[in-house]
Amino acid sequence: MLCKDKMLIIGGKPLMGEITVSGGKNTAVAVIPATLLSDEPSTIENLPDIEDVHALIEILEYLGAKTEYVPGKYLKVFPEKADGCNVPFEFTRRLRASYYLLGALLGRGGHAEVAYPGGCEIGSRPIDQHLKGFAALGATIEDRGGLVCAKAEPMTGADIFFDMVTVGGTINVMLAAVKAQGTTVIYNAAKEPHIVDLANCLNSMGARIKGAGTDVIRITGKPSLHGTVYTVIPDQIETGTLMIAAAATRGDVTIHGCIPTHMESLTAKLLEMGVRVSENDDSIRVRPQYEQRAVNIKTQVYPGFPTDLQQPMTALLCMANGTSTVCETIFEQRFKHLDELRRMGAHIKLMDRTVLIEGVREMYGAPVTVTDLRAGAALVVAGLMAKGMTEIYETAYIDRGYERIEEKLRSLGADIRREKI
Ligand code: EPZ
């Protein structure tokens, strides 16, 4: 990516104070394309001011929609004139979630031509289940040189059983099915919080979706949807990353504007480590106990331990007391952060898809390179823990999913800044 700036962290300072988490990236990237399912204007609030949101706004404009975006406040979408159905690679290379334009454009007008997505290199990440869902809804799918062309006149409801739980596949089929003729039932559906958020947003537009958050989602197709004013939920993974950073620095941090029930699997693991975690309705407080015990982690689909927190958690466990294991069951190559953590003194072994971490007493700042979004989060956590200066290169990956992370951490007392290279 050859990013123009680097992040500098002087570690060893406990994070102290209060912070408010931003709106959810993985819900924002589903809700923004959903505005194309109506011809009426929609307003989306609490969007995080991140690169993935900016890229999607450019795609909507490219398709002919008008937008009014006030970062940190709202995004207004006027989709009436959005008559485009082609999204070229110059856009889709910028974010993986560009594939949601397939479902949204199929739902909007039964025709979508979207280049295969780019995004984080954490595994092969095929979209065969998405395409299987579209075909079940009556779409003909053509693969033309890196471009997925899908057409369906009309879309008709169907029963769809996913071979594995897929967040993207569940979201994409929901976007395509809300205006199909008849009822669609998705079996083996993903249950992540952002699936429920999208269903709530679509229902606020007049859709009829039941069962979101369970593994069977029933969608009764509607001929048209109206506009909405919708506020997206807070970011589950940013909340978790801040909780982990607080524990990593032995700090005392209260995170406001979050949803504690979304964090239960991480909270349970931090408590198991000996970290003190307390909850209110919309805030979580993380305080240190004494030594932090090693634990065993296995990533699972929601409500299990999120794969997106595997990497920051691996960084935290590098200085736990004892030997921890982290098993990544969702993505086969989500380990590129391990080499960088080793540069900082971590004792880590990778055996197949399980990381073996032998806790060390000290980690040391070093120049490290970000390879994907959550690897970046792991290196920030490690930099906050390590003795001395850590220089983090390719920070643009981090900006895709975290809104001004260094401002948030600096407000909690971290010595962190950016510098032009
Ligand atoms: C979404 O990715 C998130 N991205 C990921 O977050 C998150 O890690 C993942 O869900 C799991 O929670 C967005 O929401 C934009 P999947 P997605 O489809 O939809 C396989 C982050 O850091 N699979 O649930 O791509 C796939 O290869 C990002 O914010 C197929 O084989 O995840 C993977 O092994 C990283 N065929 C597993 O299923 C398919 O058609 C789960 O993938 C679809 C998926």
Short mmCIF file of all heavy atoms in Angstrom, two decimals, residues 25-26 29 96-97 99-100 120 122 124-130 164-169 192 194 307-308 330-332 334 373-374, ligand 1:
data_model
loop_
_atom_site.label_atom_id
_atom_site.label_comp_id
_atom_site.label_asym_id
_atom_site.label_seq_id
_atom_site.Cartn_x
_atom_site.Cartn_y
_atom_site.Cartn_z
N LYS A 25 -18.31 -0.40 11.79
CA LYS A 25 -17.85 -0.48 10.39
C LYS A 25 -18.64 -1.56 9.66
O LYS A 25 -19.18 -1.34 8.59
CB LYS A 25 -16.36 -0.81 10.34
CG LYS A 25 -15.90 -1.35 8.97
CD LYS A 25 -14.44 -1.66 8.90
CE LYS A 25 -14.11 -3.11 9.01
NZ LYS A 25 -14.38 -3.96 7.85
N ASN A 26 -18.73 -2.75 10.26
CA ASN A 26 -19.31 -3.88 9.52
C ASN A 26 -20.82 -3.78 9.40
O ASN A 26 -21.42 -4.48 8.59
CB ASN A 26 -18.87 -5.21 10.14
CG ASN A 26 -17.38 -5.45 9.86
OD1 ASN A 26 -16.79 -4.76 9.02
ND2 ASN A 26 -16.78 -6.37 10.58
N VAL A 29 -21.14 -0.77 6.41
CA VAL A 29 -20.90 -1.20 5.03
C VAL A 29 -22.05 -2.03 4.48
O VAL A 29 -22.11 -2.27 3.27
CB VAL A 29 -19.57 -1.96 4.90
CG1 VAL A 29 -18.39 -1.05 5.25
CG2 VAL A 29 -19.54 -3.22 5.75
N ARG A 96 -13.56 -4.82 0.86
CA ARG A 96 -14.16 -6.14 0.64
C ARG A 96 -15.67 -6.04 0.56
O ARG A 96 -16.31 -6.72 -0.22
CB ARG A 96 -13.75 -7.05 1.79
CG ARG A 96 -14.46 -8.35 1.79
CD ARG A 96 -13.65 -9.49 2.28
NE ARG A 96 -14.35 -10.71 1.93
CZ ARG A 96 -14.23 -11.33 0.76
NH1 ARG A 96 -13.43 -10.82 -0.18
NH2 ARG A 96 -14.90 -12.42 0.47
N ALA A 97 -16.22 -5.14 1.35
CA ALA A 97 -17.69 -5.08 1.48
C ALA A 97 -18.33 -4.52 0.23
O ALA A 97 -19.55 -4.41 0.12
CB ALA A 97 -18.07 -4.23 2.68
N TYR A 99 -18.82 -6.02 -2.22
CA TYR A 99 -19.67 -7.07 -2.80
C TYR A 99 -21.13 -6.93 -2.38
O TYR A 99 -22.02 -7.53 -2.94
CB TYR A 99 -19.15 -8.47 -2.55
CG TYR A 99 -18.89 -8.91 -1.13
CD1 TYR A 99 -19.69 -8.54 -0.05
CD2 TYR A 99 -17.79 -9.73 -0.85
CE1 TYR A 99 -19.43 -8.95 1.23
CE2 TYR A 99 -17.51 -10.16 0.44
CZ TYR A 99 -18.35 -9.76 1.48
OH TYR A 99 -18.06 -10.20 2.75
N TYR A 100 -21.41 -6.09 -1.34
CA TYR A 100 -22.81 -5.89 -0.96
C TYR A 100 -23.57 -5.11 -2.04
O TYR A 100 -24.79 -5.08 -2.06
CB TYR A 100 -22.91 -5.15 0.38
CG TYR A 100 -22.43 -5.97 1.56
CD1 TYR A 100 -21.80 -5.37 2.63
CD2 TYR A 100 -22.58 -7.35 1.59
CE1 TYR A 100 -21.35 -6.12 3.71
CE2 TYR A 100 -22.13 -8.12 2.66
CZ TYR A 100 -21.51 -7.49 3.72
OH TYR A 100 -21.06 -8.23 4.78
N CYS A 120 -8.91 -7.17 3.04
CA CYS A 120 -7.83 -7.78 3.83
C CYS A 120 -7.46 -9.18 3.32
O CYS A 120 -8.32 -9.99 3.04
CB CYS A 120 -8.26 -7.88 5.29
SG CYS A 120 -8.30 -6.28 6.06
N ILE A 122 -6.68 -12.27 4.41
CA ILE A 122 -6.65 -13.15 5.60
C ILE A 122 -7.09 -14.56 5.24
O ILE A 122 -7.40 -15.37 6.11
CB ILE A 122 -7.55 -12.57 6.71
CG1 ILE A 122 -8.96 -12.29 6.17
CG2 ILE A 122 -6.92 -11.32 7.31
CD1 ILE A 122 -9.91 -11.74 7.22
N SER A 124 -8.63 -17.08 1.51
CA SER A 124 -9.08 -17.02 0.11
C SER A 124 -10.37 -16.20 -0.02
O SER A 124 -10.58 -15.49 -0.97
CB SER A 124 -9.31 -18.44 -0.41
OG SER A 124 -10.29 -19.05 0.43
N ARG A 125 -11.25 -16.30 0.94
CA ARG A 125 -12.48 -15.51 1.03
C ARG A 125 -13.32 -15.57 -0.26
O ARG A 125 -13.60 -14.57 -0.89
CB ARG A 125 -12.17 -14.07 1.43
CG ARG A 125 -11.36 -13.97 2.71
CD ARG A 125 -11.09 -12.57 3.14
NE ARG A 125 -12.28 -12.00 3.80
CZ ARG A 125 -12.31 -10.75 4.26
NH1 ARG A 125 -11.28 -9.96 4.11
NH2 ARG A 125 -13.40 -10.29 4.85
N PRO A 126 -13.72 -16.76 -0.68
CA PRO A 126 -14.58 -16.87 -1.86
C PRO A 126 -15.97 -16.32 -1.58
O PRO A 126 -16.31 -16.04 -0.42
CB PRO A 126 -14.66 -18.38 -2.09
CG PRO A 126 -14.38 -18.99 -0.77
CD PRO A 126 -13.45 -18.05 -0.06
N ILE A 127 -16.77 -16.10 -2.64
CA ILE A 127 -18.15 -15.63 -2.42
C ILE A 127 -19.14 -16.61 -3.05
O ILE A 127 -20.25 -16.24 -3.45
CB ILE A 127 -18.36 -14.20 -2.97
CG1 ILE A 127 -18.08 -14.13 -4.47
CG2 ILE A 127 -17.53 -13.18 -2.21
CD1 ILE A 127 -18.56 -12.79 -5.08
N ASP A 128 -18.75 -17.88 -3.10
CA ASP A 128 -19.62 -18.91 -3.71
C ASP A 128 -20.99 -18.98 -3.04
O ASP A 128 -22.01 -19.18 -3.72
CB ASP A 128 -18.94 -20.27 -3.67
CG ASP A 128 -18.58 -20.67 -2.25
OD1 ASP A 128 -17.75 -19.97 -1.62
OD2 ASP A 128 -19.15 -21.65 -1.73
N GLN A 129 -21.05 -18.79 -1.74
CA GLN A 129 -22.35 -18.88 -1.05
C GLN A 129 -23.24 -17.69 -1.40
O GLN A 129 -24.46 -17.82 -1.51
CB GLN A 129 -22.14 -18.94 0.48
CG GLN A 129 -21.32 -20.13 0.93
CD GLN A 129 -22.01 -21.46 0.62
OE1 GLN A 129 -23.15 -21.68 1.04
NE2 GLN A 129 -21.34 -22.30 -0.14
N HIS A 130 -22.62 -16.52 -1.59
CA HIS A 130 -23.40 -15.35 -2.00
C HIS A 130 -24.08 -15.67 -3.35
O HIS A 130 -25.27 -15.44 -3.55
CB HIS A 130 -22.50 -14.13 -2.22
CG HIS A 130 -21.67 -13.72 -1.04
ND1 HIS A 130 -21.55 -12.41 -0.63
CD2 HIS A 130 -20.89 -14.43 -0.19
CE1 HIS A 130 -20.75 -12.33 0.40
NE2 HIS A 130 -20.33 -13.54 0.68
N MET A 164 -21.85 -22.97 5.00
CA MET A 164 -21.19 -22.60 6.25
C MET A 164 -21.79 -21.26 6.67
O MET A 164 -22.40 -20.56 5.85
CB MET A 164 -19.66 -22.52 6.10
CG MET A 164 -19.08 -21.22 5.57
SD MET A 164 -19.40 -20.93 3.79
CE MET A 164 -18.48 -22.22 3.07
N VAL A 165 -21.62 -20.88 7.91
CA VAL A 165 -22.17 -19.60 8.36
C VAL A 165 -21.33 -18.50 7.71
O VAL A 165 -20.11 -18.47 7.84
CB VAL A 165 -22.10 -19.50 9.90
CG1 VAL A 165 -22.50 -18.09 10.33
CG2 VAL A 165 -23.02 -20.53 10.55
N THR A 166 -21.98 -17.62 6.96
CA THR A 166 -21.26 -16.54 6.30
C THR A 166 -21.97 -15.22 6.56
O THR A 166 -23.15 -15.06 6.19
CB THR A 166 -21.13 -16.79 4.78
OG1 THR A 166 -20.91 -15.53 4.11
CG2 THR A 166 -22.35 -17.46 4.17
N VAL A 167 -21.25 -14.29 7.16
CA VAL A 167 -21.81 -12.96 7.45
C VAL A 167 -22.14 -12.27 6.13
O VAL A 167 -23.25 -11.81 5.91
CB VAL A 167 -20.81 -12.12 8.27
CG1 VAL A 167 -21.25 -10.66 8.33
CG2 VAL A 167 -20.64 -12.70 9.66
N GLY A 168 -21.15 -12.25 5.23
CA GLY A 168 -21.34 -11.56 3.96
C GLY A 168 -22.45 -12.18 3.14
O GLY A 168 -23.28 -11.47 2.56
N GLY A 169 -22.49 -13.51 3.13
CA GLY A 169 -23.52 -14.18 2.34
C GLY A 169 -24.91 -13.89 2.89
O GLY A 169 -25.85 -13.61 2.12
N GLU A 192 -24.46 -12.35 13.69
CA GLU A 192 -23.70 -11.21 14.22
C GLU A 192 -24.62 -10.02 14.48
O GLU A 192 -25.65 -9.85 13.81
CB GLU A 192 -22.60 -10.84 13.23
CG GLU A 192 -21.25 -11.52 13.44
CD GLU A 192 -21.30 -13.04 13.17
OE1 GLU A 192 -22.32 -13.53 12.66
OE2 GLU A 192 -20.32 -13.70 13.47
N HIS A 194 -24.38 -7.08 13.46
CA HIS A 194 -24.64 -6.23 12.30
C HIS A 194 -25.67 -6.85 11.36
O HIS A 194 -26.27 -6.15 10.55
CB HIS A 194 -23.38 -5.83 11.54
CG HIS A 194 -22.26 -6.81 11.53
ND1 HIS A 194 -21.51 -7.08 12.66
CD2 HIS A 194 -21.75 -7.60 10.56
CE1 HIS A 194 -20.59 -7.98 12.36
NE2 HIS A 194 -20.71 -8.30 11.12
N THR A 307 -13.56 -13.60 15.34
CA THR A 307 -12.28 -13.71 14.64
C THR A 307 -11.60 -12.35 14.51
O THR A 307 -10.38 -12.25 14.54
CB THR A 307 -12.48 -14.33 13.25
OG1 THR A 307 -11.24 -14.29 12.52
CG2 THR A 307 -13.54 -13.59 12.44
N ASP A 308 -12.39 -11.27 14.46
CA ASP A 308 -11.80 -9.93 14.30
C ASP A 308 -11.06 -9.47 15.55
O ASP A 308 -10.29 -8.51 15.49
CB ASP A 308 -12.89 -8.90 13.96
CG ASP A 308 -13.46 -9.16 12.57
OD1 ASP A 308 -12.87 -9.96 11.83
OD2 ASP A 308 -14.52 -8.58 12.26
N ILE A 330 -12.04 -19.50 11.57
CA ILE A 330 -12.83 -18.86 10.51
C ILE A 330 -11.99 -18.60 9.26
O ILE A 330 -12.39 -18.98 8.15
CB ILE A 330 -13.45 -17.53 11.01
CG1 ILE A 330 -14.20 -17.73 12.33
CG2 ILE A 330 -14.30 -16.89 9.92
CD1 ILE A 330 -15.49 -18.51 12.23
N PHE A 331 -10.85 -17.96 9.41
CA PHE A 331 -10.00 -17.63 8.25
C PHE A 331 -8.68 -18.40 8.33
O PHE A 331 -8.05 -18.42 9.39
CB PHE A 331 -9.73 -16.12 8.20
CG PHE A 331 -10.95 -15.31 7.85
CD1 PHE A 331 -11.58 -14.54 8.81
CD2 PHE A 331 -11.49 -15.35 6.57
CE1 PHE A 331 -12.72 -13.80 8.51
CE2 PHE A 331 -12.63 -14.61 6.25
CZ PHE A 331 -13.24 -13.85 7.22
N GLU A 332 -8.27 -18.95 7.19
CA GLU A 332 -7.11 -19.85 7.23
C GLU A 332 -5.77 -19.12 7.25
O GLU A 332 -4.75 -19.70 7.54
CB GLU A 332 -7.18 -20.84 6.07
CG GLU A 332 -7.01 -20.25 4.66
CD GLU A 332 -8.33 -19.73 4.06
OE1 GLU A 332 -9.30 -19.52 4.82
OE2 GLU A 332 -8.37 -19.53 2.84
N ARG A 334 -5.09 -15.89 8.89
CA ARG A 334 -5.18 -14.66 9.69
C ARG A 334 -4.05 -14.64 10.73
O ARG A 334 -4.28 -14.48 11.91
CB ARG A 334 -6.56 -14.60 10.37
CG ARG A 334 -6.90 -13.20 10.77
CD ARG A 334 -8.37 -12.99 11.08
NE ARG A 334 -8.66 -11.56 11.04
CZ ARG A 334 -9.87 -11.04 11.06
NH1 ARG A 334 -10.93 -11.83 11.11
NH2 ARG A 334 -10.04 -9.74 11.01
N LEU A 373 -6.16 -5.05 8.43
CA LEU A 373 -6.80 -4.15 9.41
C LEU A 373 -6.60 -4.59 10.84
O LEU A 373 -6.09 -3.85 11.69
CB LEU A 373 -8.31 -4.06 9.07
CG LEU A 373 -9.24 -3.46 10.11
CD1 LEU A 373 -8.82 -2.06 10.50
CD2 LEU A 373 -10.67 -3.49 9.61
N ARG A 374 -6.94 -5.82 11.19
CA ARG A 374 -6.90 -6.21 12.60
C ARG A 374 -5.48 -6.59 13.03
O ARG A 374 -5.17 -6.57 14.22
CB ARG A 374 -7.88 -7.35 12.87
CG ARG A 374 -9.31 -7.07 12.44
CD ARG A 374 -9.91 -5.82 13.08
NE ARG A 374 -11.24 -5.58 12.47
CZ ARG A 374 -12.03 -4.57 12.75
NH1 ARG A 374 -11.63 -3.66 13.60
NH2 ARG A 374 -13.20 -4.40 12.14
C1 EPZ B 1 -17.21 -10.43 7.48
O1 EPZ B 1 -16.36 -10.94 6.45
C2 EPZ B 1 -16.46 -9.23 8.05
N1 EPZ B 1 -16.27 -8.24 7.01
C3 EPZ B 1 -15.11 -9.68 8.59
O2 EPZ B 1 -14.51 -8.56 9.21
C4 EPZ B 1 -15.34 -10.75 9.65
O3 EPZ B 1 -14.08 -11.24 10.05
C5 EPZ B 1 -16.17 -11.89 9.07
O4 EPZ B 1 -17.41 -11.38 8.52
C6 EPZ B 1 -16.53 -12.93 10.13
O5 EPZ B 1 -17.21 -12.29 11.18
C7 EPZ B 1 -17.29 -7.39 6.77
O6 EPZ B 1 -18.33 -7.46 7.40
C8 EPZ B 1 -17.05 -6.38 5.70
P1 EPZ B 1 -17.74 -14.66 6.17
P2 EPZ B 1 -16.95 -12.02 5.41
O7 EPZ B 1 -18.47 -14.66 4.87
O8 EPZ B 1 -18.36 -11.72 5.14
C9 EPZ B 1 -15.94 -18.55 4.10
C10 EPZ B 1 -12.84 -7.01 9.65
O9 EPZ B 1 -11.70 -7.12 10.11
N2 EPZ B 1 -16.87 -18.25 3.00
O10 EPZ B 1 -18.53 -14.78 7.44
O11 EPZ B 1 -16.01 -12.13 4.28
C11 EPZ B 1 -14.87 -17.49 4.26
O12 EPZ B 1 -13.76 -17.76 3.41
C12 EPZ B 1 -13.32 -8.00 8.62
O13 EPZ B 1 -13.69 -6.14 9.97
C13 EPZ B 1 -16.91 -19.09 1.90
O14 EPZ B 1 -16.21 -20.09 1.83
O15 EPZ B 1 -16.86 -13.35 6.30
C14 EPZ B 1 -14.50 -17.61 5.71
O16 EPZ B 1 -13.58 -18.67 5.86
C15 EPZ B 1 -12.28 -9.05 8.28
N3 EPZ B 1 -17.77 -18.80 0.88
C16 EPZ B 1 -15.82 -17.99 6.38
O17 EPZ B 1 -16.67 -18.50 5.34
C17 EPZ B 1 -18.59 -17.70 0.91
O18 EPZ B 1 -19.35 -17.48 -0.06
C18 EPZ B 1 -16.54 -16.81 7.03
O19 EPZ B 1 -16.62 -15.78 6.09
C19 EPZ B 1 -18.51 -16.84 2.03
C20 EPZ B 1 -17.66 -17.14 3.06
#
